[in-house]
Amino acid sequence: MMKASLKAKYSTDKNSAGATFSVNAGNVKLRASMTDATFINGPSLNGLALSLDKPGSFIVDYDLPKKDLRFQFMNTVRIAEKPINLSYVHFKNDNRTILDGTLVFDSTNKVSANHVVGSGNAKLKYTYVHGGVTTFEPSYDIAKDCWDFAVSRKVFGNDVFKATYQTSSKALGLDWTRTSKHNGLFKISASLAMGEQIKMTNLSAESSWDFEMF
């Protein structure tokens, strides 16, 4: 079975579009993704990427124009009957490695840690889901010694409102997302600088549609 996804984004910075095609091959997925740069000046390799994905095990991405490989390996272990989701990501061209781990206490509480190897930095995040509809996510950047905060809430069944705030840059982000089985995903985002004067730095609208080809 082949599936396709189309995506379009309009913003005050720039507009973009993209498409993804995936094919199931046993327990792995083969995926090809492209952006408007692939076709804007005639067919080219710009914006073209290939992926091999085994859900829950590994993902291999290859960026054709940059000739860059990205490896991601995932695994889950249990300590005291609590699952810990582990992830190892390596970018070949940048020679950059990211380690990520999430300890799931229960359906409403989890703690995650993210570390870029060699950076001397780590980010810690706590996630709490209240009543199945409201999610609180405070996070702490050790190197910057600062906190970031995010809160999201489900409303009207398929809508999610989310607000994020970065204390180091005083940046406020607002998102409204609506997901529909028939109409796909629609998202409106706004970024505001909360300095002496409140200023909107970006406003965008994004739509995506998923469908089966055959």
Side-chain angles (χ1 to χ4, degrees):
M1 178 182 296
M2 176 177 284
K3 296 182 178 181
S5 176
L6 301 178
K7 182 178 180 180
K9 184 176 181 179
Y10 311 90
S11 74
T12 53
D13 287 341
K14 65 176 182 179
N15 300 329
S16 62
T20 301
F21 301 90
S22 62
V23 178
N24 292 329
N27 59 353
V28 299
K29 293 182 180 180
L30 304 175
R31 187 167 56 245
S33 59
M34 56 202 72
T35 68
D36 49 0
T38 310
F39 304 100
I40 195 167
N41 292 317
S44 69
L45 296 180
N46 294 329
L48 183 61
L50 304 176
S51 298
L52 178 64
D53 178 6
K54 184 177 181 181
S57 296
F58 66 83
I59 301 173
V60 180
D61 296 324
Y62 182 64
D63 188 312
L64 271 73
K66 295 181 180 179
K67 297 182 180 179
D68 189 17
L69 276 171
R70 173 187 177 275
F71 303 92
Q72 179 176 357
F73 300 96
M74 299 87 77
N75 197 10
T76 299
V77 298
R78 288 184 174 271
I79 298 179
E81 300 302 317
K82 302 296 183 182
I84 300 178
N85 302 320
L86 302 173
S87 175
Y88 170 94
V89 183
H90 181 73
F91 298 85
K92 181 178 179 293
N93 283 6
D94 294 341
N95 194 26
R96 181 163 55 99
T97 301
I98 301 174
L99 303 178
D100 190 272
T102 301
L103 171 60
V104 181
F105 292 100
D106 50 42
S107 60
T108 60
N109 296 274
K110 63 182 179 181
V111 176
S112 59
N114 178 280
H115 172 62
V116 179
V117 176
S119 68
N121 184 29
K123 294 181 180 180
L124 306 176
K125 182 171 71 173
Y126 170 64
T127 301
Y128 169 66
V129 180
H130 179 73
V133 294
T134 305
T135 303
F136 300 94
E137 293 181 304
S139 60
Y140 179 66
D141 189 309
I142 294 177
K144 295 181 180 180
D145 188 23
C146 65
W147 288 88
D148 295 333
F149 301 93
V151 59
S152 60
R153 181 175 176 84
K154 295 179 181 178
V155 293
F156 311 126
N158 295 321
D159 290 19
V160 176
F161 288 97
K162 183 176 183 179
T164 61
Y165 183 70
Q166 298 177 345
T167 58
S168 60
S169 59
K170 296 183 179 180
L172 176 66
L174 301 173
D175 296 326
W176 169 49
T177 305
R178 168 169 289 182
T179 305
S180 168
K181 181 181 295 186
H182 303 290
N183 299 319
L185 180 145
F186 179 72
K187 180 179 179 181
I188 295 178
S189 302
S191 300
L192 298 95
M194 308 296 289
E196 294 182 359
Q197 293 183 340
I198 299 176
K199 179 181 179 182
M200 181 176 293
T201 57
N202 188 38
L203 179 66
S204 65
E206 179 180 322
S207 295
S208 63
W209 305 267
D210 298 323
F211 54 91
E212 297 178 357
M213 298 185 66
F214 55 82

